[in-house]
Amino acid sequence: MKVAFYLNCVSAHQLPLAKEVAELVGPENFRYVDAGERSESAQSAETQGLKFKVQGLRSQDDRAGVREWLETADVMLTVMRDWELFERRAGKGLRTFYASERWWKPVRIVRLFGLFDCSIGGWVRMLVPSYRRMAKRFVKWANEDDGARVLATGPWAKKDFLRMGVRAEKIVEWGYFVEKGRGKREEGRGKTILKLLWCGRMLDWKRVETIIRAANECKAKSLGLKVTLVGDGPEKANLIRLAQRFFGDGVAIEQSNNLNNPNNQTIAFLPGQPMEKVREQMREHDLYVLSSNGSEGWGAVVSEALEEGMRVLGTFEAGASAALLPRERLFHSGDWRGLAQLIEKDLCGELPSCSIGEWTAKAAAKRLMGL
């Protein structure tokens, strides 16, 4: 069996699954095709030591051979919207799995007072004729090609595809699958100080201010909480000002990649860090919070935190938290009072446990080949 992954980059959130699939079918029967515009040097650094071949679709090296793999592989998993390729493969009786986050992410109009998202449903994109034609062609392919499957990345994606008219039996619940963690870690419950972590790009739709406001609520209840926020982005200056307004000298702004919350401040801001450093941060903290709104199609950091044995709180609106976490560990994006209540419950051991469960690369590879 020949298998091709046809993706838009060489991604740390796709390589773990690729490794497991290659292990099942044999490296000689697997090809990772990168359709992006990354440099060859960056690509080789990320793919060093892999047993299977990774090739760029835009490179001059054996371009015809790469296209031949995409046209003839028995199974192709892709995130690309290459409908002509899909239809040619359907004519040959080949299986094509199209993986996607939700198509109808909310369209924000404005945020009021920096607190409330004023958005309308993503379905308004269907009012654009070119988008509507593309969606119609996609649904026709998904429903009529016997070898087609839609891998819905998150439960919101599944709902969007159902609303578009894709038949339920054609949709497979899916996600991003990350590198395995280090296994069991020391249980953090019972500590008087809870160490909370958030990592990522500081964008407005990540709603990081929710965590800062929740920490202020926890301060009013005299709960022991230390917060570490790791990352950079356009919202960072606003977040620092908000934290200083609530905590004054209790805010640390670090320029280095120190582990833990330096100087025992209530809130510490650390710069963006590579994934291996983020994983170290996770092993030094108790609780991870995903605060994003519906613009977060998945949120692979949830899987990474669970792999490292962290407890996690997340929003109903983000794909990964809605799929992976018990409902009791979810709050609505922007609801800092609800988040503060969950933090208190977690500190007191009143919430159900959470784990990565079957959302691993190994389990996903077996499931994919089972299809």
Side-chain angles (χ1 to χ4, degrees):
M1 179 190 294
K2 289 172 59 178
V3 178
F5 274 28
Y6 178 28
L7 305 172
N8 55 4
C9 64
V10 177
S11 166
H13 299 147
Q14 299 285 9
L15 283 175
L17 178 63
K19 293 175 187 176
E20 295 293 343
V21 171
E23 189 73 23
L24 290 176
V25 302
E28 69 281 1
N29 295 318
F30 183 86
R31 189 74 56 92
Y32 191 119
V33 178
D34 174 13
E37 299 181 5
R38 305 280 299 276
S39 69
E40 291 298 321
S41 59
Q43 189 182 96
S44 62
E46 291 175 313
T47 59
Q48 187 175 7
L50 295 177
K51 297 178 181 178
F52 54 85
K53 185 176 287 189
V54 178
Q55 289 182 289
L57 186 64
R58 297 174 184 271
S59 68
Q60 296 302 315
D61 178 34
D62 194 21
R63 181 178 294 184
V66 174
R67 292 299 313 186
E68 190 270 340
W69 260 86
L70 298 180
E71 297 280 351
T72 63
D74 300 291
V75 176
M76 182 180 75
L77 183 149
T78 185
V79 299
M80 310 302 293
R81 297 177 181 178
D82 192 340
W83 313 127
E84 290 83 4
L85 173 61
F86 292 5
E87 290 159 1
R88 289 196 300 272
R89 287 178 54 81
K92 301 172 186 174
L94 302 173
R95 291 191 174 274
T96 302
F97 298 155
Y98 169 69
S100 177
E101 296 179 12
R102 62 184 311 187
W103 279 31
W104 292 357
K105 290 181 181 180
V107 178
R108 180 188 299 158
I109 303 173
V110 68
R111 179 183 288 185
L112 294 177
F113 311 115
L115 303 179
F116 305 107
D117 281 329
C118 293
S119 304
I120 57 177
W123 57 266
V124 298
R125 295 182 177 88
M126 295 295 281
L127 299 178
V128 180
S130 60
Y131 193 95
R132 188 167 62 250
R133 286 193 298 270
M134 178 181 67
K136 184 177 180 181
R137 187 174 186 180
F138 159 65
V139 172
K140 184 175 185 293
W141 163 77
N143 286 337
E144 294 183 3
D145 177 5
D146 290 340
R149 293 293 183 275
V150 177
L151 307 182
T153 305
W156 294 106
K158 180 178 179 180
K159 289 183 178 180
D160 282 357
F161 294 137
L162 288 171
R163 290 189 187 112
M164 291 167 68
V166 179
R167 300 205 311 267
E169 64 269 22
K170 288 288 191 169
I171 302 173
V172 180
E173 294 182 11
W174 205 245
Y176 293 114
F177 307 96
V178 301
E179 294 286 0
K180 187 173 176 58
R182 293 197 178 181
K184 191 173 181 180
R185 52 176 277 155
E186 178 186 355
E187 179 59 66
R189 289 196 176 102
K191 295 181 180 180
T192 57
I193 301 294
L194 180 70
K195 293 192 291 185
L196 183 154
L197 178 67
W198 179 92
C199 305
R201 283 279 292 161
M202 292 183 175
L203 306 171
D204 58 357
W205 55 267
K206 297 282 188 177
R207 301 306 306 267
V208 188
E209 82 282 354
T210 309
I211 299 173
I212 297 173
R213 292 179 181 277
N216 188 49
E217 289 279 313
C218 291
K219 180 182 72 171
K221 297 180 180 180
S222 300
L223 298 178
L225 182 66
K226 301 295 181 184
V227 177
T228 304
L229 305 176
V230 181
D232 299 297
E235 285 294 300
K236 186 165 187 175
N238 292 332
L239 295 170
I240 290 173
R241 282 193 292 270
L242 180 65
Q244 289 173 334
R245 190 178 109 201
F246 288 141
F247 299 101
D249 293 338
V251 177
I253 304 169
E254 293 291 310
Q255 303 302 320
S256 62
N257 292 335
N258 293 331
L259 291 177
N260 293 322
N261 189 325
N263 304 320
N264 272 336
Q265 259 79 357
T266 302
I267 294 186
F269 288 86
L270 300 184
Q273 302 178 27
M275 181 49 62
E276 60 269 20
K277 288 291 185 180
V278 170
R279 287 293 190 108
E280 287 182 40
Q281 293 279 8
M282 290 176 171
R283 291 190 284 272
E284 296 293 331
H285 287 76
D286 306 308
L287 180 68
Y288 190 88
V289 174
L290 182 73
S291 51
S292 303
N293 64 21
S295 293
E296 186 80 78
W298 180 251
V301 69
V302 170
S303 304
E304 291 157 350
L306 291 172
E307 282 281 14
E308 295 299 344
M310 294 190 77
R311 305 192 303 280
V312 180
L313 302 176
T315 59
F316 285 97
E317 292 81 7
S321 49
L324 274 62
L325 300 180
R327 187 176 179 83
E328 295 85 349
R329 286 187 166 272
L330 301 178
F331 63 99
H332 287 289
S333 176
D335 180 10
W336 67 87
R337 293 186 181 90
L339 173 56
Q341 291 173 359
L342 290 182
I343 291 172
E344 182 177 8
K345 288 181 179 181
D346 185 87
L347 184 60
C348 297
E350 297 176 1
L351 294 178
S353 61
C354 51
S355 69
I356 194 68
E358 289 298 306
W359 289 85
T360 65
K362 184 179 286 292
K366 291 180 180 177
R367 187 180 180 197
L368 186 71
M369 292 298 96
L371 294 173

